[in-house]
Every structure is written in C-alpha cells, then in structure tokens.
Amino acid sequence: MSQTTAARADGRKPDQLRPITLVPGIAPHATGSVLIGFGDTRVICAATIEPNVPTWMKQQGVKGGWLTAEYSMLPYSTLDRKPRDIAKGRIDGRTVEIQRLIGRSLRAVVDLQKLGQNTLWIDCDVLQADGGTRTASITGAYLAARLAVQKLIDEKKLAENPITDSIAAISVGILESRELLDLAYVEDKDAEVDFNVVMTGRGQFVEIQGTGEESTFSHDQLQSLLALAQKGLKQIAAEQTAFLTKQLLGTLKI
Amino acid sequence: MSQTTAARADGRKPDQLRPITLVPGIAPHATGSVLIGFGDTRVICAATIEPNVPTWMKQQGVKGGWLTAEYSMLPYSTLDRKPRDIAKGRIDGRTVEIQRLIGRSLRAVVDLQKLGQNTLWIDCDVLQADGGTRTASITGAYLAARLAVQKLIDEKKLAENPITDSIAAISVGILESRELLDLAYVEDKDAEVDFNVVMTGRGQFVEIQGTGEESTFSHDQLQSLLALAQKGLKQIAAEQTAFLTKQLLGTLKI
Amino acid sequence: MSQTTAARADGRKPDQLRPITLVPGIAPHATGSVLIGFGDTRVICAATIEPNVPTWMKQQGVKGGWLTAEYSMLPYSTLDRKPRDIAKGRIDGRTVEIQRLIGRSLRAVVDLQKLGQNTLWIDCDVLQADGGTRTASITGAYLAARLAVQKLIDEKKLAENPITDSIAAISVGILESRELLDLAYVEDKDAEVDFNVVMTGRGQFVEIQGTGEESTFSHDQLQSLLALAQKGLKQIAAEQTAFLTKQLLGTLKI
Amino acid sequence: MSQTTAARADGRKPDQLRPITLVPGIAPHATGSVLIGFGDTRVICAATIEPNVPTWMKQQGVKGGWLTAEYSMLPYSTLDRKPRDIAKGRIDGRTVEIQRLIGRSLRAVVDLQKLGQNTLWIDCDVLQADGGTRTASITGAYLAARLAVQKLIDEKKLAENPITDSIAAISVGILESRELLDLAYVEDKDAEVDFNVVMTGRGQFVEIQGTGEESTFSHDQLQSLLALAQKGLKQIAAEQTAFLTKQLLGTLKI
Amino acid sequence: MSQTTAARADGRKPDQLRPITLVPGIAPHATGSVLIGFGDTRVICAATIEPNVPTWMKQQGVKGGWLTAEYSMLPYSTLDRKPRDIAKGRIDGRTVEIQRLIGRSLRAVVDLQKLGQNTLWIDCDVLQADGGTRTASITGAYLAARLAVQKLIDEKKLAENPITDSIAAISVGILESRELLDLAYVEDKDAEVDFNVVMTGRGQFVEIQGTGEESTFSHDQLQSLLALAQKGLKQIAAEQTAFLTKQLLGTLKI
Amino acid sequence: MSQTTAARADGRKPDQLRPITLVPGIAPHATGSVLIGFGDTRVICAATIEPNVPTWMKQQGVKGGWLTAEYSMLPYSTLDRKPRDIAKGRIDGRTVEIQRLIGRSLRAVVDLQKLGQNTLWIDCDVLQADGGTRTASITGAYLAARLAVQKLIDEKKLAENPITDSIAAISVGILESRELLDLAYVEDKDAEVDFNVVMTGRGQFVEIQGTGEESTFSHDQLQSLLALAQKGLKQIAAEQTAFLTKQLLGTLKI
C-alpha cells in the first residue's frame, strides 16, 4: 500500500473509520427507524411495511413480498442548498443509481418469500452530507429494517425473521496515490479512484462498484482497496451487532 | 363557548396546547435550523441563505432580497406511508397551499430590503405528522430564520436584523360543538370547522384561514375561535422568546 | 372605519359593489352555465354532471356523489397575455389554491348523498380579469350549479335538490388605510390587507381567508372588514335570488 | 355529384352552410376578439400582440415578427365533459395538429416583416363543439387578427396593415355516398371522407387536408369535394367582408 | 407544368424519384421489419404484434384489433444532432402529426376485425434524414406490416391476411416555380408548396396534405401536383410488389 | 474455476466470446458510427460533435470540452415490444444507470482539454437485445468516437487526437455455479452473480460493477471472474484494433 505518513484532513489514519453514531426511533411513525452518522454525514433511515406488493408482481404471478428503496438529499444537507427533485420535476441520475443500489443490496439479505404479501419500503433521507451518504444509507437501512422486522414479529404480523444476514457498506478510494478508508467529502471530490463495497456480516460480497472517472486503476490497486474495505466492514458489522443487541435485548437473533 | 367537561383524547383541556419541544441545530449545514415538536408532530425547519434572487426580481428591477418556503411530508411521517411528490411527478395541491402560506407569513415580518441581494430559503420537512404541521412549520421556521440571521450578523454577512417581529401560528377548531385549541390529527380529521391563525409577537394578525368544509359557522363562533387562538399564540410567543434567549445569549434583540 | 372622502378610481363609494351582470346559458353543452360579471371581471361558470365518482371514493367505499372545481384564466383575460398552464406543463400554485377554495365552498352547501353516484364538475374560466375573479367564480358557480340541478330534476335524473343554501363570495381589503368592498385590480394589487369571505344566503360563514402580505392587521380592522363583507354579500344574495327566480320561473325552490 | 334528395339531419341541403354568427369584442382585454358561430359550434377567437419574438428567431437572427396559435376545447364544450389538457399533463395529438394548422394558415396571409419585433398570438377556445371547430377557428381568427391590426394602426403601434388577404376555412366530406358542405358533428363522426380546405379571399388555396380513415376516395370524388368547398368559402368570405366593413366603418382596407 | 430545363441539385429530373433501397429483417426481434431508403433518407420500419388491445377499445366494447404507429428521429439522423424527445420531456408537435398520419394511413388498408384481439404496432425510426421521412415511413411500414402478417399466418397465429391493399406515400412540391417529385431536404426546406400524398396500390387516395406556408397555390397547380404524385406512386407500388414477391416467394398474395 | 463440462445454450465454452460483428458508417450523418454485434445483440453506436459545451461548464468556468452519452432500447429490440421512454414520460432507472456508465467510461480515455469548446455526444440505440447491451455499447462507442475523431482531424477541426487509450467492456457472471464469459440473455436473467468490467487497451481497469442480486459472492469467486473478464477483454481489444486499422488505413495512430 503506497502512502505518505501525513494525517488526513480530519486527522484520521488512512485505514481509520469516522466515528459512527446511531439514534434509534428518529421517525416514530415508521415501522423501524434510525439516524445514522459517519462523522458529519447523517442519514435518516426508515423502514415501513405496506400490506401490498407492486403491480408487476401481481401481473407476473410472483409469490412473496417485495423490498424497495428511495433515497433523497434534503435541500439543507449540503453547504450550498440543493434544490428538491420535485422543483426540477424529475429525479436526477445519481439519485436513481443510489436508490437502486440500496434496494438491490437489502434484497440480497432478505428472503422475500417470508415477507408475505407485503412491501418493505426503505427510505433514506440525508440530513447532512459529508461523503459516503450511499454507504451510510445501506448500513443504516439494514438497522431500520431489522428493527422493523422485530416489531412485526412482536406484533405477530410476521411469523419469522426474513433477514438472513447483516449487511453494511463502506467507501474506499485513492487520493494523491494514498489508499483511504471511508472518504469524507473533501477527499471524495478529488479522489482518482472511488469504490463502494457492500458486504454481509459473514464476509460475502453483495456489490462492488469501482470507478476511476478521468483515471484508471491497476489490478494491484484493486486488491489493496478491497482489503481495506473488508477491514472497515468488519468493524462496522461489530457496531451494528452491538447496537441491535442493545435495542432488541434478548430478543435479537441476527 | 359551548363545551362539555369531558377531557380530550390525549387528556388535554379544550384551551390547552400540546407540549412544545425545540431542538436547535438539527441540520448543521443549514444557516439556521430547529426541530420543532407540538406533541407528536415533529417538523425539521431550516433556513438557508443563497447569494441570489429569483429571475423575476431581476427582470422587474425589484430591489432587496427574497424569502421563499418549501414544505414536504417525509414518506414515513404518516402511519400509512405517504408516497413522495417526485414519485407522482407533481406537488399536490395541499402542499402548494401550505408552502405559499409559510412564505407569505414569514415575509410579513421580514424587511426584504435589509436582506441584500440574497434569498432566504425556508424548508419545512415533516418527520412525524399528528395534526398542525403547517402551524408548527411557521412557528419553527421563524426560529430557524432568527438563528440564521444571527449567524449572518455574527459573520458580518448582514449589517442589521431584517426581522421586524416574531411570528407564530396555531390551529383552532370545532369538534362535536366544542371549541378546541391546537388540534391533534384525530381531532382535526373530524372537525366541523378548522382555523389556522398566524400572529406576530406584538399581537397583530398576519393571516386567518377559516373553513367549514361540509359545514358552516356563525359570527359568534368566529369570535370565540379567534379569542382561543390568541390565547394559545401568546403562550407560544413566550416559548419562542425563551428558546431564542437561551440560544442567542446576550446577543439576541428580538 | 378610517377613510377619506375621496372617490375610488372608478368613482365607487368604499362600501359599494361593482355592477353585477348575469348571462345564462353561455355554454349550452354544460348542464348549467352562466357568464357572471363584477364590473369588468367576467367569468364563464359551468356545471356539468358526470355519471361517475372519483376512484378514491370507490376504493374507500364512500357513498353518494362528489363535487369538484377547476379554475383557469384564459390567456387573453389579462392585459398582458398570460401563458396557458399547459404551455408550462403544470398548474401554478395560485390556480391550485383557487380551485380548491371553489370546490370546498360549493360542497358546504351541497348534500353529496343526494347527488347519487354522480360528480358535479364546476368549471370557472376567466374571460376578463379585473380583480375578484375567485369570488366571482364562487358566486357564479352557485348559479350554474343551481341551474344544472333544476335541469336534472326536470329530466328526472335527480329526485330532489341537493343544494341546501345559496352561496356567494366577495373581497374586502385595506388600501391606503381605507376599508374597501369588492376590490378592482388596481386596488387589489396595492392593498395592505386582502380578505375573501364566503357566506351562505342564510348568513353563515363558509370560509374566511385574510392575509396581510408584507403587512399585518389588528383585531378591530378584522371586525370592520367582516362587517363590510357581510353587507356586500347580502346584496349579492339578493341578486342571485332575483336571477334564479327569473330563470326558473315558478319551478325554483331556493 | 352523387347524392340523394333527402334532407340532412338539421334540414340543410348538401351544399348549404350552417348560419354564421359573429360577436365582436367578446374578450375586451385581447387586442382583437370575436365569438364566431357556425350553427351550434361556437369559438372564442382572440388576437393579442406581445412586444417580443420567440427565442429561436433571436438566435437565428430572423428579422420581423411572428404569429403563433393555440387551440383548446373548454371542458364544457362537449356533451360529455372533456378533461382539460393540464389535468392529463400533456396536450393531445389532435390539439397539436389543429393549433399548428391555424398558425400556418394565418401566417400565409400575414407579412411578418410588417409586424415589427412583435408576436401576434392567436387563441381559439371552443365554447360549444358541434363539428368544424378547426375551420371555424381559422375563419374567426382572421377576423380577430384584422380587428387587432386595425386597433394597433389606430394607436400608431403599427405603420401599415401586415395582412395581405382574407382567409377562411370549411369542411366538406362524404357521408353515405353524399357529398356534404360544412359537416355538423353527427355527420362528421360517421363520414367516410373528411376534408378541411383553407382558402384566401382571392381564391388561392392555403391548405388542403383530406383523409379517408378506414376508407379511400377517388380522383373524381376529390374534384367534386374541392368544388363544393370553394362554393362555401366564397359565401364565408362575403360574410367576413360584411362584418369587417361594419366593425371598421370607413377605416377598413381589406 | 412550368419548369426550367436545369437539373436538380442531385441531378434528377423534376419527375424522377430517388433510388429506393429495401433491406428486410433489419430488426430481427420485430414480427416484420425493413430498412427503407429514398436516396439518403433511411428509416427503420418495424411491425410488432402485441396480444392486447387499447383500454379504450375494451371500455367501449369495440370488436377486433388495433393498429397504431410511433415515429421518431434518431438523434444522429440530422446533420446537427437532434435532442431526443425524452430529453425535453415531451413529443414535439411535428412528431405527433406524423405518427398520427402513419397510423391513419395504414388503418385504411387493414381490416381490423381480422387482426383478432391484437395490436399491430408500427415503429418508424429515422436513421438518416434527407427529406421525405414521413412518406418513406408509410411506404416502409406497409412492407414491414406485410412481412409481419405473413409470419403470423405461417405460424398459424392469423387465419387470413387482414391487409386489403398495398399503400405508399410520396411528397411533391413547388420550388422556384418548378413542380418536383420526391423532394430532398435542400428542396423541401425552401419549397413554396409542399404536398404529401398517400395512395393505395389500386390508385385510390388515402390522404392528401397540401400546404403553402407563407405562400398559396392555385387550382391548376393543385391538379398538376396530384398528377405528378400519382406518377411516382405507381412506380413505388411496383417496387413494393417486386420486393414482397422476392421475400415471400410463392406464398405472397398481395 | 468450478464448472461442468456441459456446453452453454448456444454451444459456447464458458470462456468463449460470442462472434463480434462491426459495420462502419451505419448512420452517415453522425460524425462517426458503427453497428456493433455480440452474437444477436446489435447496437447502433454514433458519435456526434456539437460546437458547444453544457451550461454548467460555462457557469463554473471549466475549460475544455465535454463528452456525454445517451442509451436507449428501440421498442422492437426485445421479443415483447418495449414501450418508448417518451410514452411513459420519463427515463427508467436502468437506462439512467447505463448512460451514466457509458459516459463515465469514455471520459476515462478522452483528454477533454484537447476537445476544444466542443461536446462529443455518444448515442447508443439497441436494435436487438440479447444480453450485454451496455458492454457492447461501450465497446462500440469507443469505435464510433475514434472514427469521429479521425474525421475531425482530417477536416482540420481537431489539432490532435484527444483519445488516450482504447476501451472495451464485457460481462462475466455465475450461472448454476459456473463462471461464464459474455452472458447471453437466457444466461443473464438467471445468473446468481453479474459483473460488468470496463478496461483500457493497456489493461487498466476503468470500472468494475459486480452485483449478486438475491445472492452473494466470495473473495475467490471475485478473483476468478475478474481473470475471466480480462481474458475476454484482451480478445475484444484485438478485434477493435483490427477494425480501426482497416477503417483508418495508414492514418490511424491508436
């Protein structure tokens, strides 16, 4: 791993995560919710059950339930106010990509058959953006979904837990030839290479998206970045387990 | 005032407000922000300065700045998930009415000339909806705007305070012939008459919207409802002052 | 009431209505229609019955019929041509507010149960705009609806009259400290306070919307404006009765 | 010409126009306006001058003015209420075709160079639809434009008349093998062949649109239909001249 | 026919068609397809069967099938790149007119009853535009439809051929007082008069659209242009027959 | 690599590409174009130069040119007709993702400074879809761009070649535990893991997108899939070079 000894802008070491904060119940009308923070990045993650499935599932006769995600940046989440999608009349391309990624990732650890004829909606609204909002969204969405599932089980609305594993995500990248874990915005905007890695608690990959816009990367750099991501994801999984253990007391079986 | 002695669903007396909660700094990237709660109703209010004015002002040669508001219900704010505006491709009529009301109300207490060539954006996003979201939005928006203005003054970006008075709003209504202050959702949905009253800290009216959908109301009922609203608004103004005094220490001149 | 003795721009006294004109049958394919004029303000009001109810009523199992309103300014109704909504691809906020107000007002005097499984569409298209188009729309819409109902009764399509009272609306406002009835455009655009009052023929309020954009108003001013509105509304109700009596001859029971 | 001796549904002979009615000044805020009727078909035609030209003309450096048309059916113009374009969010294909036809036709008799840097807007709103709304629109739009031009000349806003000839339009068609002039709706909806012919006062063609949906027509039928249209258009041109002579007194030079 | 002896820009005589090219099977997933060329104008024409009919047919209880057409210019079909409709969010007026014309024309030679409960979609995408794209689209769409029908008959999905005649279209116009057949773009853009004529193989007219934007035309010119179009259409019909005979071998009954 | 000895549906070996076909000049009005085929997948790739840059570049003062991509599936590219985006009024999420990927990939091998104040538009329209349309688009888009650049150089519109390397893309995936190169649609729709890999001619990665929807994958599988992709990409790069050498004769410097 090629790197200088200089500290990062916020004083972190190259392989150091930002502090993670987790506030449960931020949106009490959701079935489950959490406010997740990675440093200054803060995302409201909510999971809401709806007793219905999409029209295409009915038309195609697909059994079981569905899980879908929506992602949005609140207009005051950025330093310069970001206009709402509805003010422009359409969702921008970046938002579409992110909400599809969140939905796809969560579905990898949910047995849709066990959801019954229900849709589990995942909503991620960014309250403060400082890099890594999509990976924070996935990490927090898992927690909101797990809390929602437990509530449904407690209320006898679900017979068993449809979630098969935990899931989390993190960014890694190359900035000025240094490989960095969990990029803050000032790092991300200038990074030569940018990876988002989604992984389960058992260490299986769910999604890898690596891009070198206006740049490229070698096979060795790829290997090194993946190792860095895996290291960070192991720590995040531990924090997820600690949080859920506390929230769900003895009832949790993750 | 015609009323029974029975308590309301949440145990309040007819002329009793719900507990008000105020959390400053909920959205740190905004110029000023507050999370306001009236009982279970919780709204993120943010004020953001943008160094620009709308095109129509430039075209018409209007001097000074502008203030505009946007309002949205987050999808998990309601017990049944509410689809986002962007999913339907258009803002619904109720949202348009509310955001116009918020903007109009705030402009009544802001001297736009003193804003300079800036737009003050007011964003109100409902995190939990239990009735009175528009009045909570106005009440919280004033606080967010006041915090934003103080920050701009402290940073020498504004020469003087353009806010001329405090402003707050509350709902009153008639339910089963009883006149009630600050209606919760279960009361609001069945109310025969529904008023929203916006008033300044000095006791001047800014806006009165009273409607009796599928019903009507008499001149006497109107007088009685306005008196009830004024009583509640005096209490809210006191809570606003206490909050700002604490937040702004000795620097506040409201 | 504080006021100077000077005449208004069109020579009226402060408490004087503009001349009201009523032309029945302006749109013969509608079930009922009228061209209403308040001075130079002219609005085509049409009521059309449709043997169907909105989808949400069917889904929610709501019985009876529905009444809804649409409002539009024809492009040549203003001195500077006003682009059509469809040219911009969306309805502007002011239009949404007005058509919701018209619908809500009319529903206050219609017993929807007696409409059967029908929707009564109210369409108000402004042919010439000189202030007070929304209040002229409500006033004319009542007449169009009443004519439509009579036709449906005569054709045995309705068993009884679902309209429970007449309804009319008028604006009042404060301009240069004078309280004025029925504001023309030149008065309305500079008014410090602007009220729209909707009232039934029996003198019950249906809706009060009072706003002091970039201004405020006192409790005494509110009382004085409401009295002025009530005076005007009594005259308008008399003109409505005279018109319907002539149109419906002996068949009318208003 | 193959035809039976039986009368048409409204008693007309095959080569007989419906009665034409012309009401000037229907929309006083327009620069010129007329309410035109062909039997029960009634269209509001308005011409409004706007001191501006489209962006594409400026970008391409095209000199002179522009003329453009918009057409709309008011929702109560049809026996079954027709939803507004804006309610569906888009203009339907038929409307687009018609408003392009109206604009193209009028431009054939307007010298755009003589309009100056202005746009002449033509608006045609159908108040009552009984067949032939597009041809009535063209015929009335010419009159509205001519009145508008005269007003602009009288006000010294135009130096000379940019209109080079009168213009009118009519439909002809084949119904049950009979060739008919000026089809009413009951004839039009079942016609095997349907022609719209636009012609100048001097007898030159401007546009011919002939279609045999789900049918075809021969060369002989084409010739016969064109002769029938020309006969009707000669009468219409005479009525246009009589109307303008009366409206413009001695000032008219058509 | 008034004309000079000078050759046209591409060396053709006034009454000479451009070379026609026909490539079958350009889009193998369509039921039938052809790439048609008139000189440099090239259009992908595809016919696809869908086992369904539009909602309005079901609601109105209309029997049989349906045929509808869509037309689009690919962004690289013009010398200056033409933005896609979806980039602007709406179909432009010219596109709407053309796709309605294509659908109407094809329906004139298809017995919809014989289509069964199916929709035959006609798609015309312009690969290279050099004038006459709408007439090339109609001419090629017929061939794609005929190939599609034969495939459905061969696969026993249709009992008999619903196509009752061949159909083709061509443009004629007047440029610098010369009457020209099959206008290329450089001729079309400056033409004083522009006609599109649609005709069946048996010589019946299906549609005539003639316009003289910013110009007019006489009765004699009309006759002369129609004769020129008929001459060209006879040649095109012969080429269509030759193509289909080769493609369908002995199986074709056109 | 875990794999059975059974052949794939189309008889290929697991590490075998489908036959690649390349037709230059498919869209002559584009600056450069190619019809690329991977087996039955066929995509029209066109590159068009536009002498302008996006508004955001001008506003932000960014120097140089821009490259952007649009992707679309023609409605007849799929076995069941796929409705056009414009018919639904919006671009679907998958399309947005793909066109962003194409643009990002191409920009990695283009020195935007050398483009001057121009935008290079990349358009990819799928004529026939059988899996791998996005990777075929990238592979063909490079060729179209290279042909366009050469034309601009030959016409003296570009001083030097802004393309810094060749670029190509391929899919790899896991189906029934077998690792496969270049998945056809029947393989892709059931694959447990699906990777798209974009690589330059010099063997540097540009983008890796790997997903296991409703599944996950291990570190070993990831390594094995990347090796398989690299093998295929080496062959594709060779075919690209051969094609360009032939098209550009001695003028090519790739």
Side-chain angles (χ1 to χ4, degrees), chain F residues 74-214:
Chain F
L74 288 163
Y76 35 80
S77 63
T78 46
L79 282 167
D80 293 327
R81 186 178 180 279
K82 181 179 161 69
R84 293 171 194 265
D85 285 334
I86 193 65
K88 294 173 296 180
R90 57 188 190 82
I91 303 185
D92 68 32
R94 176 184 167 277
T95 296
V96 172
E97 271 188 26
I98 293 175
Q99 58 195 20
R100 282 165 57 90
L101 170 63
I102 299 170
R104 216 159 50 220
S105 296
L106 269 286
R107 282 193 298 272
V109 293
V110 171
D111 181 343
L112 297 174
Q113 295 309 316
K114 294 189 180 160
L115 270 184
Q117 287 281 96
N118 297 300
T119 295
L120 191 62
W121 283 88
I122 300 295
D123 285 288
C124 299
D125 288 278
V126 180
L127 193 54
Q128 192 178 6
D130 188 29
T133 62
R134 82 185 68 187
T135 50
S137 293
I138 292 168
T139 306
Y142 163 68
L143 299 174
R146 187 65 191 81
L147 294 175
V149 159
Q150 198 59 40
K151 190 174 175 208
L152 294 168
I153 291 172
D154 293 350
E155 294 173 348
K156 312 287 187 205
K157 289 178 182 159
L158 271 188
E160 59 179 318
N161 181 0
I163 301 181
T164 58
D165 200 348
S166 76
I167 193 165
I170 198 66
S171 72
V172 286
I174 302 179
L175 176 65
E176 296 170 5
S177 305
R178 284 209 299 175
E179 289 153 8
L180 302 178
L181 178 68
D182 188 16
L183 283 69
Y185 177 70
V186 290
E187 297 168 336
D188 186 60
K189 74 183 174 64
D190 293 324
E192 294 105 47
V193 179
D194 186 15
F195 265 67
N196 290 297
V197 181
V198 187
M199 189 170 262
T200 67
R202 296 198 188 91
Q204 289 285 100
F205 288 109
V206 172
E207 186 116 4
I208 293 174
Q209 292 192 341
T211 182
E213 181 150 346
E214 295 165 37

Side-chain angles (χ1 to χ4, degrees), chain E:
Chain E
M1 201 190 292
S2 64
Q3 59 183 77
T4 72
T5 53
R8 295 162 71 174
D10 55 4
R12 281 186 288 154
K13 286 180 285 181
D15 62 350
Q16 189 180 348
L17 291 171
R18 290 178 286 181
I20 298 172
T21 52
L22 296 168
V23 179
I26 184 72
H29 279 170
T31 317
S33 68
V34 69
L35 176 65
I36 190 167
F38 274 76
D40 283 345
T41 288
R42 284 157 64 165
V43 184
I44 304 168
C45 300
T48 313
I49 198 82
E50 189 184 55
N52 206 348
V53 291
T55 306
W56 63 263
M57 287 185 70
K58 295 177 198 166
Q59 286 173 339
Q60 298 178 18
V62 178
K63 300 287 180 200
W66 186 241
L67 181 151
T68 190
E70 289 188 352
Y71 166 95
S72 172
M73 293 183 76
L74 288 163
Y76 35 81
S77 63
T78 46
L79 281 168
D80 293 327
R81 185 177 181 279
K82 184 180 159 69
R84 294 171 193 264
D85 285 334
I86 193 65
K88 295 173 297 180
R90 58 188 191 81
I91 303 184
D92 68 33
R94 178 184 166 276
T95 296
V96 171
E97 272 189 27
I98 293 177
Q99 59 194 21
R100 282 164 57 90
L101 169 64
I102 299 170
R104 215 158 53 218
S105 296
L106 270 286
R107 284 194 297 273
V109 292
V110 170
D111 181 342
L112 296 175
Q113 296 308 316
K114 293 188 181 161
L115 269 185
Q117 288 281 96
N118 297 300
T119 294
L120 192 61
W121 283 88
I122 300 294
D123 285 288
C124 299
D125 288 277
V126 180
L127 192 55
Q128 194 178 5
D130 187 30
T133 63
R134 80 186 70 188
T135 50
S137 293
I138 292 168
T139 306
Y142 162 68
L143 298 174
R146 187 62 192 84
L147 293 175
V149 158
Q150 197 61 38
K151 189 173 176 210
L152 293 168
I153 292 172
D154 292 349
E155 294 174 348
K156 312 287 186 204
K157 289 177 182 162
L158 272 188
E160 59 178 318
N161 181 1
I163 300 180
T164 58
D165 200 348
S166 76
I167 192 165
I170 198 67
S171 73
V172 286
I174 302 180
L175 176 65
E176 296 170 4
S177 305
R178 284 210 298 175
E179 289 154 6
L180 303 179
L181 177 67
D182 188 16
L183 282 70
Y185 177 70
V186 290
E187 298 169 334
D188 186 59
K189 74 184 173 64
D190 293 324
E192 293 105 48
V193 179
D194 186 15
F195 264 68
N196 290 297
V197 181
V198 188
M199 188 170 262
T200 67
R202 295 197 188 90
Q204 289 283 101
F205 288 110
V206 172
E207 185 115 5
I208 291 174
Q209 293 192 341
T211 182
E213 179 149 348
E214 294 164 37
S215 181
T216 60
F217 53 98
S218 70
H219 191 267
D220 285 355
Q221 287 173 315
L222 166 66
Q223 299 300 336
S224 183
L225 286 171
L226 289 177
L228 189 59
Q230 280 175 287
K231 181 181 170 187
L233 287 162
K234 196 170 289 183
Q235 287 180 44
I236 297 169
E239 296 219 29
Q240 288 178 313
T241 302
F243 171 80
L244 288 173
T245 305
K246 185 172 164 198
Q247 294 304 314
L248 304 180
L249 300 169
T251 71
L252 178 71
K253 289 157 208 81
I254 52 172

Side-chain angles (χ1 to χ4, degrees), chain B residues 52-254:
Chain B
N52 206 348
V53 292
T55 307
W56 64 262
M57 286 185 72
K58 296 178 198 164
Q59 287 174 338
Q60 299 178 18
V62 179
K63 301 287 179 199
W66 187 241
L67 182 151
T68 191
E70 290 187 352
Y71 166 96
S72 173
M73 294 181 75
L74 288 164
Y76 35 80
S77 63
T78 47
L79 282 167
D80 293 329
R81 186 178 180 279
K82 182 179 162 67
R84 293 171 194 264
D85 285 335
I86 193 65
K88 294 173 298 180
R90 57 187 190 81
I91 303 186
D92 68 33
R94 177 184 165 277
T95 295
V96 172
E97 272 189 25
I98 293 176
Q99 58 194 20
R100 282 164 58 89
L101 170 63
I102 299 171
R104 216 159 50 220
S105 296
L106 270 285
R107 283 194 298 273
V109 293
V110 171
D111 181 342
L112 297 175
Q113 296 309 315
K114 294 189 180 160
L115 270 184
Q117 287 281 97
N118 298 300
T119 295
L120 191 61
W121 283 89
I122 300 295
D123 285 288
C124 300
D125 289 277
V126 180
L127 193 56
Q128 193 178 5
D130 188 30
T133 63
R134 81 185 68 188
T135 50
S137 293
I138 292 168
T139 305
Y142 162 67
L143 299 174
R146 188 63 191 81
L147 294 176
V149 159
Q150 197 60 39
K151 188 173 176 207
L152 293 168
I153 291 172
D154 293 348
E155 294 174 349
K156 312 287 186 202
K157 290 177 181 160
L158 271 188
E160 59 179 317
N161 181 2
I163 301 180
T164 57
D165 200 349
S166 74
I167 193 165
I170 198 66
S171 73
V172 286
I174 302 180
L175 176 66
E176 295 170 5
S177 305
R178 283 210 299 175
E179 290 155 5
L180 302 179
L181 177 67
D182 187 16
L183 282 68
Y185 178 69
V186 290
E187 297 168 335
D188 186 60
K189 73 184 174 63
D190 294 324
E192 293 106 47
V193 179
D194 186 15
F195 265 68
N196 290 297
V197 180
V198 187
M199 188 170 262
T200 67
R202 294 196 189 92
Q204 289 284 100
F205 288 110
V206 171
E207 185 114 6
I208 292 174
Q209 293 192 340
T211 183
E213 181 149 346
E214 295 164 38
S215 180
T216 60
F217 53 99
S218 69
H219 191 266
D220 286 354
Q221 287 173 317
L222 167 64
Q223 300 300 337
S224 184
L225 286 170
L226 289 177
L228 189 57
Q230 280 175 287
K231 182 182 171 188
L233 286 162
K234 195 169 291 186
Q235 287 179 45
I236 296 169
E239 298 219 26
Q240 287 178 313
T241 302
F243 171 81
L244 287 174
T245 304
K246 185 174 165 197
Q247 294 303 315
L248 304 180
L249 300 168
T251 72
L252 177 73
K253 291 160 205 79
I254 51 172

Side-chain angles (χ1 to χ4, degrees), chain C residues 147-148 167 236:
Chain C
L147 294 175
I167 193 166
I236 297 168

Side-chain angles (χ1 to χ4, degrees), chain D residues 48-62:
Chain D
T48 313
I49 198 82
E50 189 185 53
N52 206 348
V53 291
T55 305
W56 65 261
M57 286 185 72
K58 295 178 199 165
Q59 286 173 340
Q60 298 178 19
V62 178

Side-chain angles (χ1 to χ4, degrees), chain C residues 67-79:
Chain C
L67 181 151
T68 191
E70 290 187 353
Y71 166 95
S72 173
M73 293 182 77
L74 288 164
Y76 35 79
S77 62
T78 46
L79 282 168

